[in-house]
Amino acid sequence: MGLLGKIFTWWDGATIGTHLWSSRNGEHVGTDAQGNKYYRQRKKKGSDDAPNGSYISRERRWVMYEGANDASRVPSEWHGWLHGAFDDVPESNLPPAKIWEADYTPNATGTAAAYRPQGALEKGGKRASAVGDYEAWTPEG
């Protein structure tokens, strides 16, 4: 992606402004298997979590996607961390992978790789006729 694309687009990766803000205000806490980077707001010196005791503030957490912005690319353990379900970084608490667990596959909706059943318009629109297995209902009169 060109420099102008990085400056103005948000749907195909983070903008330059987001990268600059993250490097200045964020603390990198981990990276998942897909290359997505996870950040949390740096603690400011001399500040506490609840200024003036007026409210309880939560730590700000965010993800910088490697590639296109697609929320389905966030693994479940990092999703829980992003939403404050637990405080520790997931990489330190992950159980070993099970042999039956499948690798991540991206959401193919809207792409050429999307599932299209027999009879879909993209496959020619021909479907099997429904004769012989259907009996129309008629009211008894």
Side-chain angles (χ1 to χ4, degrees):
M1 176 181 296
L3 180 62
L4 286 176
K6 276 290 195 193
I7 291 172
F8 295 110
T9 62
W10 56 265
W11 54 87
D12 198 22
T15 63
I16 288 177
T18 305
H19 279 289
L20 290 174
W21 189 88
S22 293
S23 65
R24 185 167 179 241
N25 298 320
E27 172 189 357
H28 180 256
V29 294
T31 305
D32 65 18
Q34 299 174 40
N36 300 326
K37 295 178 183 178
Y38 298 88
Y39 294 87
R40 70 172 142 217
Q41 181 114 25
R42 279 198 186 125
K43 302 270 190 216
K44 298 198 189 247
K45 292 181 182 177
S47 67
D48 57 356
D49 287 341
N52 300 329
S54 59
Y55 62 90
I56 298 173
S57 65
R58 263 207 282 184
E59 176 180 65
R60 182 166 183 221
R61 300 172 178 182
W62 66 94
V63 59
M64 299 285 285
Y65 295 102
E66 180 64 31
N69 294 338
D70 182 5
S72 71
R73 295 181 56 217
V74 175
S76 58
E77 60 271 7
W78 280 105
H79 181 271
W81 179 83
L82 282 170
H83 291 277
F86 46 89
D87 290 330
D88 293 335
V89 176
E91 291 174 338
S92 61
N93 297 326
L94 288 179
K98 307 286 188 217
I99 60 171
W100 46 263
E101 290 184 274
D103 288 336
Y104 168 78
T105 55
N107 184 352
T109 303
T111 67
Y115 171 73
R116 292 182 174 84
Q118 204 65 353
L121 292 176
E122 292 86 357
K123 284 187 144 185
K126 303 280 185 187
R127 63 177 185 84
S129 59
V131 294
D133 61 346
Y134 175 76
E135 183 179 323
W137 177 83
T138 56
E140 294 184 49

